[in-house]
Amino acid sequence: MSEYYSRRNLDFLLKEVFDLESLLKLDIYKKHDLDGVKLMLDTAGQLADTEMRPFNEEMDRNDPKFEEGKVKVHPQIRKLLKKFGEGGWISANASEEVGGQQLPIIVSSCAQFIFGAANYSASVYPFLTAGAARLIEEHGSEQLKSTYVPKLYNGSWQGTMAMTEPDAGSSLSDVRTTAEPLDDHGTVYSIQGQKIFISAGDHDAVGNVVHLMLARIKGSPEGTKGLSLFVVPQKRFTEDDQVVMNDVTTTGMYHKMGYKAAPIVHLSFGEKKRCFGYLIGKPNEGLSYMFQMMNEARIGVGLSAASIGSAAYYGSLNYAKERPQGRRPDEKDPNAPQINIIEHADVRRMLFFQKSVVEGSLSLLLQCAHYADMAKAGKEEIKEIYRLTLDLLTPVAKSYPSEMGILSTSAAIQILGGAGYCKDFPIEQYFREMRIHTIHEGTTGIHGIDLLGRKIIMGGGIAFRAFTEEVSKTIKKVKLEVIELSKYGEKLNDALFRLQNITMKLSTIAMKEKKEVFLMDATLYLELFGVVAIGWQWLLQAIPCQIAVNENRGDEFYNSKLHTMRYYFEYELPKTEAIIARLNSSDRLLLEIDSKEIL
Amino acid sequence: MSEYYSRRNLDFLLKEVFDLESLLKLDIYKKHDLDGVKLMLDTAGQLADTEMRPFNEEMDRNDPKFEEGKVKVHPQIRKLLKKFGEGGWISANASEEVGGQQLPIIVSSCAQFIFGAANYSASVYPFLTAGAARLIEEHGSEQLKSTYVPKLYNGSWQGTMAMTEPDAGSSLSDVRTTAEPLDDHGTVYSIQGQKIFISAGDHDAVGNVVHLMLARIKGSPEGTKGLSLFVVPQKRFTEDDQVVMNDVTTTGMYHKMGYKAAPIVHLSFGEKKRCFGYLIGKPNEGLSYMFQMMNEARIGVGLSAASIGSAAYYGSLNYAKERPQGRRPDEKDPNAPQINIIEHADVRRMLFFQKSVVEGSLSLLLQCAHYADMAKAGKEEIKEIYRLTLDLLTPVAKSYPSEMGILSTSAAIQILGGAGYCKDFPIEQYFREMRIHTIHEGTTGIHGIDLLGRKIIMGGGIAFRAFTEEVSKTIKKVKLEVIELSKYGEKLNDALFRLQNITMKLSTIAMKEKKEVFLMDATLYLELFGVVAIGWQWLLQAIPCQIAVNENRGDEFYNSKLHTMRYYFEYELPKTEAIIARLNSSDRLLLEIDSKEIL
């Protein structure tokens, strides 16, 4: 079994960076302890090693088939979903009351990272189910809960998120699927419409597929304010408990560049007007419920991107350690033995680049998970601030790993050279799979607008202030307690200062000018924010490493972390300068021109 | 037929930027005129439209097959090679004496760009053949010429470049294939060895495959100084003109992520000691001959990258013009009709990014072709300086389009969103095909070392000075004659000044320190050089456009060029700041650490 993630790194982040021990003392998590978590991650690793990893390439080469209106997936998926159900992985974050594990999100995120690194496409099925189940659990009626949640948690049914339509992708306000009441209680509706790009939207590894769907109740307002959330199963129960088909038709399956083992389908609802949907929560509030699932899914996308990047990193690292090619630049003797390519500066640069992206991303994602846990379990008076910081960081934690992951898996290919471009190694598969992440759960452009146009300005900038305080706390800690790192603390402080300045400048534009001027370069702002946020996470990670070195507990792991932090501050953080140069410019090319003059 | 390149842009570059008219007055090109060139490019366009483009996706989906030691390619390849032969495309740059077209390289490069944009994989076959034929024509004996060149030029035989071996990829000095003399004239040798990653190295669309191969004559020195160049055909003629197999065995075919229609094979030579190779030129001088072919191939790789980028650009541009989604940020009415996504600032940014990469790259490549033509046909006293400038720019013109093409095709996917990730559109294919170009004909890392470690310092920096003078000439022209552009001239001047400074600084390091210190960040230096060189090309292109506008001849084409130039200076040129910040740092992380501490 080739290495595809670092368990030591997961343990390091959990214990030495995010102080899991303290978290586990909080009321709702106190049934868990560090030993229990260790065992759980051991189990996750075994599951990944035995049931996921060995099928990674096979599933890529053997796409799901769509025949006679049915989607047939790899037989291992059924086995896997059963194992995920039995192992409690789908209900990991659910409360004990409903049979869940009540596990901190930071811990289940580590397991998800392992699963994604082992076999990304396969890891998507249970992840989607978990999200759907938690949404029903939190906002659904008792009847919906008892009908759907247990079957979802035990892996016999599949959950999905059904939002996108042919004319409503990024623009959710254009959702046209309709819902018409079938009873007087406002619970059962007749659904009609089309949904596209639905992951795991139909397949033969489960007994039923349960769609969490956005639709518009007839008479509701236009735009996102008129969207309601429904449970729309593929098969439903009649009043006398018979199972009948619910008029949900799979009209097509997409053929994708990667991420192939999970079928993405086009669904048609209510062609015969026999499709029932069950309202969740209040009418017209669907988007706010859906956002709970979407926000989790966004963090999930970031985790998936980081996990694929991890597999590519280890693939290329192990190759670089074993592949002899060339000699040192100062070696003049052509008879001298070739050296392994890990000795070449350029290969090292590409390795550090990958490691800085993958482990920096993972750290930010676990930071988000930590905030989510604290917002759930922490003291009442500070919950809100954790929630806000998580909200602010969600677009960053989704987009940085996804965008940079394209480059980091590309660097992995480059290290292998021609071999990296061929199917003998899984690296090219990682590169193909990575490319989906800047698209699903909101494109990078949408997240730029979310960050700058919504999260930065919300509550008069309260979340942004909370974020800068968190970063400043880390810088201060370094300055006072880990003097060896203070040079990097100063660099981060500079970058943070410049981020604050440009944020202020943009906020002024927001007040004075049209929204389109304010948001013109929102994607670049998101990129800038990401580089600074990951710099913060590297400094944060460096603290326990430097302390270990100072206390003579240093080892290769800690040194490698310190080298990567140094790499990041030398090679990656300067990229902020280029972005800031642009953001400071007053040129409004993108708004001033006529579309006819793009040709 | 969907648009995949801009003919107007090719005409613009040929006539308005690189003054083809003057070139055609030079002796060796004077049989051609502008009308003739127009017709030729019309013909190239028709060939691409009818025989290449319609097969692009089909060839991707139906890889060559390797069965019973034979490679079977798409039947259209045979037809295409015949058409290429008949049309004189393979012999385009060959002299009239040998039946060639004696066409300027800048013109044939435009044709190659069209072919690559239509169907990259298919365009590789004739391109490789042309390179091999020209090499034999220039350095081979009369017998080799008469035996091989006509069949190569008419498309009935395939030419290849056979360098890479299992233990000698980037490190050519480790080539182990041997050659043992079979006669006393030193012309025929017995060849034994393995070659891997040989493009079009075996297939059934031709009667013979002719390898131009590097091997070491027994007793020759180690390293690159002991390499000789051989013609090694798959089938050879006996003394009594019988055709016999030449003991060349195809032992495997690679399965690649993209670039699928061209088979890349593993070859074994002389397993039965019956493989004959025919020496080209002098023993031990093989690498210098091969470099002629390699340098052309490197410009060819740049052209291919730019051409794939062009197809992706037009694919995403046309989608953006027709796909309605969302509303302007300041639009509050959800009932307002959706706008086409080309109206969104972020989509425009991604379009300009692509256009700036594709057309900037193409311009630099035609600049190189122009230098190559002048080095061949220009006045004796300045030939050398053109040759040197071409030498200097070759690694840049190969690497910038290849590296940036990964990002530009990625931006094309992003514009299409989920649709871009699916096989219904060819964009995902372009993304996969683009990824080979930073690898073949020398990885980007190798080109960084070539640029900084060889080209910059050669002749005491003469080529670098010539380059900076060329750029300065453009800046001066703008300052004096096209005052509207002087702001951009100043920006380029700043960037050039900083490039000169950092070059000087690195040259000092080269004199004082170990080579490995000097070359540590050569890849970043190459990247920096590329951004400046493309900025130069954008300013150069802007001149005739601004003049046209000033003379009231302005139109959408010229305005679009000016917008893209402005985009480049606003969004791309600032990236130099980040790279320079790193290159100015004295941190030597990449050299100081132990490989065990990368984990």
Side-chain angles (χ1 to χ4, degrees):
Chain A
M1 186 67 50
S2 77
E3 201 183 352
Y4 52 94
Y5 70 99
S6 162
R7 172 60 188 273
R8 167 90 185 258
N9 187 44
L10 290 173
D11 291 340
F12 165 77
L13 289 167
L14 285 176
K15 291 182 215 164
E16 298 175 65
V17 179
F18 296 111
D19 191 15
L20 180 63
E21 197 167 3
S22 297
L23 187 75
L24 296 181
K25 286 178 185 147
L26 297 177
D27 256 9
I28 69 170
Y29 297 134
K30 71 182 175 200
K31 83 154 197 172
H32 299 285
D33 59 18
L34 288 180
D35 285 346
V37 167
K38 182 189 168 301
L39 268 175
M40 243 171 250
L41 293 184
D42 288 350
T43 312
Q46 280 158 18
L47 183 58
D49 274 352
T50 55
E51 304 292 342
M52 301 183 79
R53 183 75 184 161
F55 300 91
N56 187 48
E57 284 150 67
E58 187 180 317
M59 285 183 181
D60 178 67
R61 307 301 191 268
N62 301 283
D63 286 44
K65 298 280 167 283
F66 179 59
E67 285 161 2
E68 297 171 13
K70 297 268 167 206
V71 178
K72 213 177 150 180
V73 297
H74 194 287
Q76 177 67 10
I77 297 294
R78 178 177 285 272
K79 188 174 169 198
L80 192 62
L81 288 176
K82 202 156 168 275
K83 294 232 173 221
F84 264 81
E86 284 166 0
W89 295 111
I90 305 177
S91 60
N93 302 125
S95 66
E96 286 195 294
E97 290 160 41
V98 296
Q101 308 299 308
Q102 211 160 312
L103 205 59
I105 297 165
I106 198 168
V107 176
S108 59
S109 295
C110 290
Q112 199 202 325
F113 182 81
I114 296 173
F115 299 142
N119 187 328
Y120 162 60
S121 293
S123 77
V124 168
Y125 295 79
F127 176 74
L128 284 169
T129 300
R134 277 200 303 281
L135 198 52
I136 300 176
E137 189 192 320
E138 201 154 324
H139 301 287
S141 64
E142 287 309 315
Q143 202 189 339
L144 285 177
K145 283 195 236 185
S146 63
T147 310
Y148 293 100
V149 173
K151 298 268 195 180
L152 289 168
Y153 278 152
N154 76 15
S156 18
W157 290 0
Q158 175 70 51
T160 85
M161 208 183 335
M163 292 187 290
T164 302
E165 298 182 3
D167 298 317
S170 291
S171 177
L172 278 179
S173 74
D174 290 284
V175 160
R176 294 275 165 262
T177 298
T178 58
E180 235 174 320
L182 287 176
D183 65 7
D184 295 336
H185 321 294
T187 54
V188 189
Y189 289 75
S190 168
I191 303 288
Q192 274 193 295
Q194 307 274 323
K195 295 285 176 181
I196 62 170
F197 292 129
I198 307 307
S199 286
D202 181 19
H203 63 89
D204 64 341
V206 287
N208 199 0
V209 180
V210 182
H211 306 289
L212 282 259
M213 174 198 279
L214 286 180
R216 200 179 301 276
I217 297 174
K218 290 210 169 159
S220 285
E222 290 293 315
T224 52
K225 286 174 194 161
L227 296 177
S228 302
L229 186 63
F230 297 87
V231 172
V232 184
Q234 192 179 49
K235 292 171 191 154
R236 63 179 155 83
F237 295 90
T238 60
E239 278 175 23
D240 52 347
D241 249 10
Q242 299 291 309
V243 179
V244 297
M245 298 306 291
N246 191 29
D247 194 12
V248 178
T249 319
T250 305
T251 54
M253 188 179 76
Y254 297 91
H255 294 278
K256 311 181 296 298
M257 175 165 68
Y259 175 31
K260 290 190 179 180
I264 311 297
V265 297
H266 185 145
L267 297 170
S268 180
F269 296 85
E271 289 184 355
K272 300 174 200 144
K273 302 194 177 173
R274 299 290 303 154
C275 177
F276 287 19
Y278 308 92
L279 182 70
I280 292 193
K282 293 183 195 152
N284 301 338
E285 308 236 328
L287 200 61
S288 69
Y289 307 135
M290 194 59 134
F291 256 108
Q292 174 195 319
M293 188 169 172
M294 264 202 283
N295 278 331
E296 284 178 19
R298 285 167 173 184
I299 299 291
V301 167
L303 269 170
S304 296
S307 69
I308 296 170
S310 169
Y313 171 62
Y314 285 106
S316 61
L317 174 65
N318 292 329
Y319 186 88
K321 282 178 180 169
E322 289 166 10
R323 166 72 177 167
Q325 190 71 182
R327 291 163 189 82
R328 291 185 192 284
D330 298 283
E331 177 62 72
K332 294 205 168 51
D333 178 7
N335 284 315
Q338 298 204 51
I339 58 174
N340 289 327
I341 61 172
I342 196 169
E343 303 296 330
H344 295 304
D346 196 47
V347 172
R348 289 177 165 197
R349 188 183 52 77
M350 292 189 281
L351 287 169
F352 277 125
F353 171 62
Q354 289 182 72
K355 188 174 162 85
S356 77
V357 168
V358 171
E359 296 184 4
S361 294
L362 180 58
S363 188
L364 182 66
L365 287 153
L366 295 189
Q367 178 76 68
C368 287
H370 177 73
Y371 288 141
D373 283 324
M374 294 303 287
K376 198 168 158 185
K379 283 183 198 147
E380 210 51 52
E381 61 272 26
I382 48 167
K383 274 184 173 181
E384 181 65 6
I385 199 74
Y386 284 124
R387 199 187 56 72
L388 284 169
T389 320
L390 172 61
D391 261 11
L392 177 80
L393 286 175
T394 298
V396 182
K398 191 272 182 185
S399 302
Y400 180 93
S402 304
E403 287 287 342
M404 297 304 291
I406 299 173
L407 303 184
S408 80
T409 49
S410 184
I413 288 183
Q414 193 68 14
I415 289 172
L416 273 76
Y421 194 68
C422 294
K423 292 185 180 284
D424 305 329
F425 289 86
I427 313 283
E428 63 85 30
Q429 182 184 343
Y430 302 139
F431 181 66
R432 288 184 285 110
E433 304 211 315
M434 183 62 87
R435 189 62 193 79
I436 187 61
H437 291 107
T438 64
I439 299 169
H440 61 183
E441 306 311 333
T443 63
T444 302
I446 293 293
H447 284 285
I449 293 172
D450 181 47
L451 176 66
L452 184 59
R454 199 175 299 138
K455 305 295 175 63
I456 291 290
I457 54 178
M458 69 185 174
I462 183 172
F464 183 66
R465 277 196 303 280
F467 167 75
T468 57
E469 274 165 30
E470 285 282 279
V471 178
S472 299
K473 235 192 288 175
T474 306
I475 295 169
K476 199 182 242 173
K477 187 178 170 73
V478 157
K479 195 173 173 186
L480 296 178
E481 296 171 34
V482 202
I483 195 84
E484 296 82 358
L485 299 177
S486 59
K487 173 177 154 196
Y488 302 102
E490 279 162 32
K491 284 187 188 215
L492 183 62
N493 204 36
D494 283 355
L496 182 67
F497 181 69
R498 282 176 295 164
L499 175 65
Q500 284 172 306
N501 279 346
I502 204 75
T503 306
M504 211 121 75
K505 182 168 175 172
L506 291 170
S507 306
T508 315
I509 292 177
M511 285 184 287
K512 284 190 196 158
E513 308 221 35
K514 285 170 101 179
K515 222 169 164 180
E516 65 174 13
V517 177
F518 169 48
L519 295 175
M520 179 175 60
D521 285 323
T523 304
L524 295 191
Y525 179 81
L526 173 65
E527 189 185 343
L528 171 68
F529 203 110
V531 180
V532 176
I534 298 295
W536 165 43
Q537 290 300 310
W538 272 110
L539 192 64
L540 201 62
Q541 291 181 79
I543 294 172
C545 300
Q546 187 64 51
I547 290 173
V549 169
N550 293 353
E551 292 174 354
N552 291 317
R553 292 182 289 110
D555 63 7
E556 286 167 359
F557 176 87
Y558 290 124
N559 286 338
S560 186
K561 280 277 184 198
L562 290 169
H563 298 328
T564 313
M565 183 267 316
R566 187 171 147 199
Y567 165 84
Y568 192 87
F569 279 87
E570 279 292 320
Y571 288 79
E572 298 302 313
L573 201 66
K575 291 179 181 169
T576 52
E577 296 186 24
I579 310 172
I580 287 173
R582 165 55 212 163
L583 291 175
N584 265 321
S585 167
S586 57
D587 188 310
R588 290 174 188 174
L589 167 73
L590 300 180
L591 302 177
E592 287 171 7
I593 52 158
D594 191 313
S595 291
K596 288 200 195 94
E597 295 186 347
I598 309 175
L599 44 81
Chain B
M1 188 65 49
S2 78
E3 202 183 349
Y4 51 94
Y5 69 99
S6 162
R7 172 60 188 272
R8 167 90 185 257
N9 186 44
L10 291 173
D11 292 339
F12 165 76
L13 288 166
L14 285 177
K15 292 184 215 163
E16 299 175 65
V17 179
F18 295 111
D19 190 13
L20 179 63
E21 197 167 4
S22 297
L23 187 76
L24 295 181
K25 286 177 185 147
L26 296 177
D27 256 10
I28 68 171
Y29 297 135
K30 71 181 174 200
K31 83 153 198 173
H32 300 286
D33 60 18
L34 289 179
D35 284 346
V37 167
K38 182 190 169 300
L39 268 175
M40 241 173 252
L41 294 184
D42 288 349
T43 312
Q46 280 157 18
L47 183 59
D49 274 352
T50 55
E51 304 292 342
M52 302 183 78
R53 183 75 185 161
F55 299 91
N56 187 48
E57 284 150 68
E58 187 180 318
M59 286 183 180
D60 177 68
R61 307 301 190 268
N62 300 284
D63 286 44
K65 298 280 167 285
F66 179 60
E67 285 161 1
E68 296 170 14
K70 297 267 166 208
V71 177
K72 211 177 151 181
V73 297
H74 193 288
Q76 176 67 10
I77 297 294
R78 178 176 285 271
K79 188 174 168 197
L80 193 62
L81 288 176
K82 202 157 168 277
K83 293 231 173 222
F84 264 81
E86 285 166 3
W89 295 110
I90 304 176
S91 60
N93 302 125
S95 67
E96 286 195 298
E97 291 162 39
V98 297
Q101 310 299 309
Q102 211 161 309
L103 205 59
I105 297 164
I106 198 168
V107 176
S108 60
S109 295
C110 289
Q112 198 201 327
F113 181 81
I114 296 173
F115 300 142
N119 187 328
Y120 162 61
S121 293
S123 77
V124 168
Y125 295 81
F127 176 73
L128 284 169
T129 300
R134 278 200 303 281
L135 198 52
I136 300 175
E137 190 192 317
E138 200 153 326
H139 301 286
S141 66
E142 287 308 317
Q143 202 190 337
L144 285 178
K145 282 194 237 185
S146 63
T147 310
Y148 293 98
V149 173
K151 298 267 194 184
L152 290 168
Y153 279 153
N154 75 16
S156 27
W157 290 0
Q158 175 70 50
T160 85
M161 211 184 331
M163 293 187 290
T164 302
E165 298 182 3
D167 297 318
S170 291
S171 178
L172 277 178
S173 74
D174 291 284
V175 160
R176 293 276 164 262
T177 298
T178 58
E180 234 174 321
L182 287 177
D183 64 9
D184 294 337
H185 321 295
T187 54
V188 188
Y189 289 75
S190 168
I191 303 288
Q192 274 194 295
Q194 307 274 324
K195 295 284 177 182
I196 62 170
F197 291 128
I198 307 307
S199 285
D202 181 19
H203 62 89
D204 63 342
V206 287
N208 200 0
V209 180
V210 182
H211 306 290
L212 283 260
M213 177 198 276
L214 287 179
R216 199 179 301 276
I217 297 174
K218 289 209 170 162
S220 285
E222 291 291 316
T224 52
K225 286 173 193 162
L227 296 177
S228 302
L229 185 64
F230 297 88
V231 172
V232 185
Q234 191 180 49
K235 292 172 192 154
R236 62 177 157 85
F237 295 91
T238 59
E239 279 175 18
D240 51 349
D241 248 11
Q242 298 293 306
V243 178
V244 296
M245 297 306 292
N246 190 31
D247 194 12
V248 178
T249 319
T250 305
T251 53
M253 188 179 77
Y254 298 90
H255 293 279
K256 311 181 295 301
M257 175 166 68
Y259 176 32
K260 291 189 178 181
I264 311 298
V265 298
H266 185 144
L267 297 170
S268 180
F269 296 85
E271 287 184 356
K272 300 173 200 143
K273 301 193 178 176
R274 298 291 303 154
C275 178
F276 287 18
Y278 308 93
L279 183 69
I280 292 192
K282 293 183 194 152
N284 301 340
E285 308 234 330
L287 201 61
S288 69
Y289 308 134
M290 195 58 137
F291 256 107
Q292 173 195 319
M293 188 170 173
M294 264 202 284
N295 278 331
E296 283 178 18
R298 284 167 174 186
I299 299 292
V301 167
L303 269 171
S304 296
S307 70
I308 297 170
S310 169
Y313 171 61
Y314 286 106
S316 62
L317 174 64
N318 291 329
Y319 186 88
K321 283 178 179 169
E322 290 165 10
R323 166 73 176 167
Q325 189 72 181
R327 292 163 189 82
R328 291 185 190 287
D330 298 282
E331 177 63 73
K332 294 207 166 52
D333 178 9
N335 284 315
Q338 297 205 53
I339 56 174
N340 290 327
I341 61 172
I342 197 170
E343 304 296 331
H344 294 305
D346 196 47
V347 173
R348 290 177 164 197
R349 187 183 52 77
M350 292 189 281
L351 287 170
F352 278 124
F353 170 62
Q354 289 181 71
K355 187 174 163 84
S356 77
V357 168
V358 171
E359 297 185 4
S361 294
L362 180 59
S363 188
L364 183 67
L365 287 153
L366 295 190
Q367 178 76 68
C368 288
H370 177 73
Y371 287 140
D373 284 323
M374 295 302 288
K376 197 167 158 186
K379 284 182 195 144
E380 211 51 52
E381 62 271 26
I382 47 167
K383 274 186 174 179
E384 180 65 5
I385 199 74
Y386 285 123
R387 200 188 56 71
L388 284 169
T389 320
L390 173 61
D391 261 10
L392 178 80
L393 286 175
T394 297
V396 182
K398 192 270 183 185
S399 302
Y400 180 93
S402 305
E403 287 286 344
M404 296 305 289
I406 299 172
L407 303 184
S408 81
T409 49
S410 183
I413 290 183
Q414 193 69 15
I415 288 173
L416 273 77
Y421 194 68
C422 294
K423 293 187 180 283
D424 305 328
F425 289 86
I427 314 283
E428 63 85 30
Q429 182 184 341
Y430 303 138
F431 182 66
R432 286 183 287 111
E433 303 209 318
M434 183 62 88
R435 189 62 194 79
I436 187 61
H437 290 107
T438 64
I439 298 170
H440 61 183
E441 306 312 333
T443 62
T444 302
I446 292 294
H447 285 285
I449 292 172
D450 180 47
L451 176 66
L452 183 59
R454 196 175 302 138
K455 306 295 176 63
I456 290 291
I457 54 179
M458 69 185 174
I462 183 173
F464 183 65
R465 276 197 303 280
F467 166 76
T468 57
E469 274 165 29
E470 286 281 278
V471 178
S472 299
K473 235 192 288 174
T474 307
I475 294 169
K476 200 182 243 173
K477 187 175 171 71
V478 157
K479 197 175 170 184
L480 297 177
E481 297 172 35
V482 202
I483 194 81
E484 296 83 356
L485 300 176
S486 59
K487 174 178 153 195
Y488 300 103
E490 279 162 32
K491 283 185 188 218
L492 183 62
N493 204 37
D494 282 355
L496 183 67
F497 181 70
R498 281 175 296 164
L499 175 66
Q500 284 171 306
N501 279 346
I502 204 76
T503 305
M504 211 122 74
K505 181 168 176 171
L506 290 170
S507 306
T508 316
I509 291 177
M511 286 183 285
K512 286 189 194 160
E513 307 223 33
K514 286 171 100 175
K515 220 169 166 181
E516 66 173 13
V517 178
F518 170 49
L519 295 175
M520 178 175 59
D521 285 323
T523 304
L524 295 190
Y525 179 82
L526 173 65
E527 188 185 342
L528 171 67
F529 204 110
V531 180
V532 176
I534 298 293
W536 166 42
Q537 290 300 311
W538 272 109
L539 194 63
L540 201 60
Q541 292 182 77
I543 293 173
C545 299
Q546 187 65 52
I547 291 174
V549 169
N550 293 353
E551 293 173 354
N552 291 317
R553 291 182 290 110
D555 64 6
E556 285 167 0
F557 177 87
Y558 290 124
N559 285 339
S560 185
K561 279 278 183 197
L562 289 169
H563 297 329
T564 313
M565 183 267 316
R566 188 170 147 200
Y567 165 84
Y568 192 87
F569 279 86
E570 279 292 319
Y571 287 81
E572 299 304 312
L573 200 67
K575 291 179 181 169
T576 52
E577 296 187 25
I579 310 172
I580 287 173
R582 165 54 213 163
L583 290 175
N584 266 321
S585 168
S586 58
D587 188 308
R588 292 175 187 175
L589 167 73
L590 300 179
L591 302 177
E592 287 172 7
I593 52 158
D594 191 312
S595 291
K596 288 201 196 90
E597 294 188 346
I598 308 176
L599 45 79

